[in-house]
Structures are given as structure tokens and as C-alpha cells.
Amino acid sequence: MSGNALRDLNVLAVPGLERKSDGSSKGSFIKPYIENSNEEVDRCQKDSEVNIGNNGVEAGNSEVEYIESENLTDLPDVDSSLNTLLARLDSKDWVSICEALNNVRQLSIYHKEELLEMLGVVIPLIVRSLKNPRSAVCKTAIMTCADIFKVYSDSVVDSFDPLLVQLLLKASQDKRFVCEAAETALVAMTTWVSPSLLLPKLQPYLKSKNPRVRAKASMCFSRSVSQLGLEGIKAYGIDNLIQIAASQLSDQLPESREAARMLALELRAIYDKSHASPGEDCTHLVDSDSWEAFCQTKLSPLSANAILRVTSTPKEGLVFGC
């Protein structure tokens, strides 16, 4: 993971005031609002403070419509949109940026191959929009990420790290409608990107100094492991995974602990299934092959007890490995 990504972990968006309109089949409208444009940054990061006025973001009366993926239509002039896309994504006009981001979404859905050739240049501009202090731009960029994950899946892995760190940050902030959009994008990521490629990307964030980032990464990690299946988990290493689950069980945030509990239960189910003989009840293994023996072999006594507490069946409440 790059140094820039690590430094970005300590960037938290400053909450603003936002208002949603009700009931539109295509999404919500963001009305004009006043937002605090200064972001807190790590001392090691020498970026200057973001100021809306100084960066050319204009306060206007324009409305931004958040269009759900299923309601996006094809572009009337694909060639023109492609030719001007990079310039518009790099614009200082926030309305133009939002329109360009929606064009990226339309191109990914209706013209996948044409956009694929530009993704290496487009993704850094999406990352810039994710960092934009104006929430309308940020949320539209997040929705763009979700569509890119769904359409391109593993093809974006090489450009993945900057997107991942920003989505974890946005999902960790207090601005609800941005946070919810980021969580939706993270679900799309764990759904469409192969777990064997995604898990190594997520693992460093499980040790983030930012507890909220750690929690969001834990939830993503648990969801991704559940898609590995028996052979995938065995290939990735159940020893490694149980140690990760044990470390997260003692995390300060309930979200991290719940993700660790779900991961531990998944691992137990896989372990019992893989060690049961044909026709044998997988909850009744010989002592040497029991889940209890495995945990006690691979973990410290304290960690093993923690895992066994959250994975024990009712019958094992009195005796483990019966």
C-alpha cells in the first residue's frame, strides 16, 4: 500500500449541512447548502487546507440529481462525451464535474469497452472527486465507483488502492447521505471484485489507526471471505484468517467485533465441513480434529477462548469439541 494511501487514512471529511428532497424515482436532489470546507489532515501530509472559494467551487442555485444505476439512459452523443470527458472531470465547475461523473457511469454501462481504454486516466480523476469538499461531487463520485466495480470488477484492481482508501474514509464520516452511499459502494466492491484479489487489499486497513476505518474494513473483509467458499478459504489459509478474526474480536468498536464474530462463524462452518467424514455429523469430530483443538493450536489461550465463546454451539456450552 502506498504512503499516500496510508496518510489518507487520517483524513476525515468535515460534516456539512445537507437536505434531501423526498420521493423521486431517479434519486434525491441536493439543495444549496453551506459547508465547512476545511479538512483535517495528518501532519505528515503537506496538502494545504481545502477552501471552497480558493478552489473555484461556486455556490450556486443549481440542483444535482442523484440517479440510480437502473435509471441511467444511454448518451445521445457518445463520441462527444468521450472526447470531452477528461476535461470535464478536471473542471473547476462542480456541476460540470457531476455531469461528467454521471457520463462515466453511462459509458461504463452502455459502452464498456470504449471507457475501459480510458480507465487508467479516469480513475485518478474520480479519486480527486471523492476528495472534493462539496458533498454533491463526492456522492456522485461514490456512485460512480459502485458502477465501475459492478461493470469492470477485477479489471480495476491495479488502480484499486486510491479508490479503496477514500471509500473507507467516506463510509467512516458523519455526513449520513455520503456515508450511506460509500457503504453501498463498498458492498458493490465485495460483491463484484474477486475475494482472492480483494482480501490482500483490505488486510492492511484492519490495522488502521482510525477505528472507524478499521471497522468498515472489517465488515468488507468478512463479507469477502464469505464468498471464497471452502476451497477458496483453504487456499487463502484458514490459519491466517482465524488469527485475523481473533484480533478483531477485541476491537473497540462493536462493528469490528460483529464482523469478527461473523468471520469466525464462517471459518468454523468451513472447518467442520472440511474435517467431517462422509455421512458424519460435522459437529462431532474426534478430539484431535476438533475446532477447539484447532483454535488452541493456532491462537494464544486468550484469543482461542474468545473465538470459542463466539463460535460454540448450544451443546458445546458445557463441553467444547463433544
Side-chain angles (χ1 to χ4, degrees):
M1 183 174 52
S2 69
N4 288 335
L6 283 172
R7 290 195 293 271
D8 274 343
L9 285 176
N10 292 318
V11 181
L12 289 176
V14 178
L17 301 176
E18 65 276 338
R19 182 173 55 189
K20 294 184 180 179
S21 69
D22 51 10
S24 167
S25 64
K26 291 187 177 181
S28 302
F29 290 97
I30 295 302
K31 303 296 185 182
Y33 59 88
I34 300 172
E35 55 187 349
N36 184 341
S37 60
N38 292 332
E39 294 186 18
E40 295 180 4
V41 296
D42 185 86
R43 290 182 180 179
C44 295
Q45 185 177 3
K46 297 183 179 179
D47 294 345
S48 60
E49 290 185 341
V50 178
N51 180 277
I52 291 179
N54 291 341
N55 282 274
V57 181
E58 299 175 0
N61 295 319
S62 300
E63 294 178 340
V64 173
E65 188 178 17
Y66 301 124
I67 307 174
E68 299 301 328
S69 300
E70 59 269 22
N71 294 325
L72 287 168
T73 58
D74 197 359
L75 290 160
D77 189 342
V78 176
D79 290 338
S80 176
S81 296
L82 282 169
N83 291 337
T84 62
L85 184 63
L86 297 181
R88 289 182 292 123
L89 286 172
D90 198 29
S91 172
K92 292 185 177 181
D93 177 2
W94 68 274
V95 176
S96 178
I97 296 173
C98 288
E99 290 175 349
L101 288 167
N102 279 326
N103 287 169
V104 172
R105 301 172 66 203
Q106 292 167 293
L107 288 165
S108 69
I109 294 171
Y110 293 101
H111 304 277
K112 175 181 177 179
E113 296 303 323
E114 288 87 339
L115 184 61
L116 179 61
E117 299 176 1
M118 302 174 61
L119 272 185
V121 182
V122 168
I123 286 180
L125 294 172
I126 295 174
V127 172
R128 182 185 299 179
S129 294
L130 289 170
K131 298 178 180 180
N132 194 293
R134 186 174 287 277
S135 295
V137 176
C138 181
K139 178 170 178 177
T140 307
I142 291 170
M143 297 174 75
T144 304
C145 290
D147 286 328
I148 285 177
F149 292 143
K150 183 175 181 179
V151 173
Y152 295 103
S153 57
D154 296 351
S155 299
V156 299
V157 168
D158 290 341
S159 307
F160 196 74
D161 286 334
L163 292 177
L164 177 57
V165 66
Q166 287 303 315
L167 289 175
L168 290 173
L169 282 167
K170 301 309 175 185
S172 305
Q173 64 161 272
D174 295 322
K175 194 175 293 183
R176 172 181 278 186
F177 82 112
V178 172
C179 178
E180 290 175 349
E183 289 181 341
T184 299
L186 289 172
V187 170
M189 176 189 72
T190 56
T191 300
W192 297 103
V193 179
S194 298
S196 59
L197 299 176
L198 180 57
L199 290 173
K201 299 285 187 180
L202 286 167
Q203 193 164 343
Y205 298 103
L206 299 176
K207 298 181 180 180
S208 170
K209 293 181 180 180
N210 184 327
R212 288 185 174 186
V213 168
R214 214 164 48 235
K216 299 302 179 183
S218 296
M219 293 299 294
C220 292
F221 195 90
S222 179
R223 284 196 302 266
S224 193
V225 168
S226 68
Q227 298 195 50
L228 276 172
L230 173 60
E231 295 305 319
I233 286 178
K234 289 168 65 176
Y236 194 84
I238 194 170
D239 299 15
N240 180 39
L241 291 171
I242 195 60
Q243 290 170 4
I244 291 172
S247 67
Q248 297 300 108
L249 273 178
S250 60
D251 196 88
Q252 70 188 83
L253 290 186
E255 195 173 9
S256 291
R257 298 196 297 272
E258 176 61 16
R261 186 184 75 83
M262 296 302 296
L263 175 57
L265 287 170
E266 181 79 21
L267 295 176
R268 163 138 203 195
I270 292 294
Y271 181 87
D272 287 348
K273 183 177 181 180
S274 65
H275 285 75
S277 301
E280 181 184 10
D281 183 348
C282 65
T283 62
H284 293 76
L285 304 176
V286 296
D287 290 344
S288 60
D289 288 333
S290 70
W291 173 248
E292 179 186 19
F294 171 76
C295 291
Q296 291 173 340
T297 300
K298 302 300 180 182
L299 302 169
S300 68
L302 188 62
S303 294
N305 287 336
I307 289 291
L308 293 172
R309 276 197 301 272
V310 299
T311 59
S312 63
T313 64
K315 291 182 179 180
E316 292 172 328
L318 296 176
V319 181
F320 286 111
C322 60

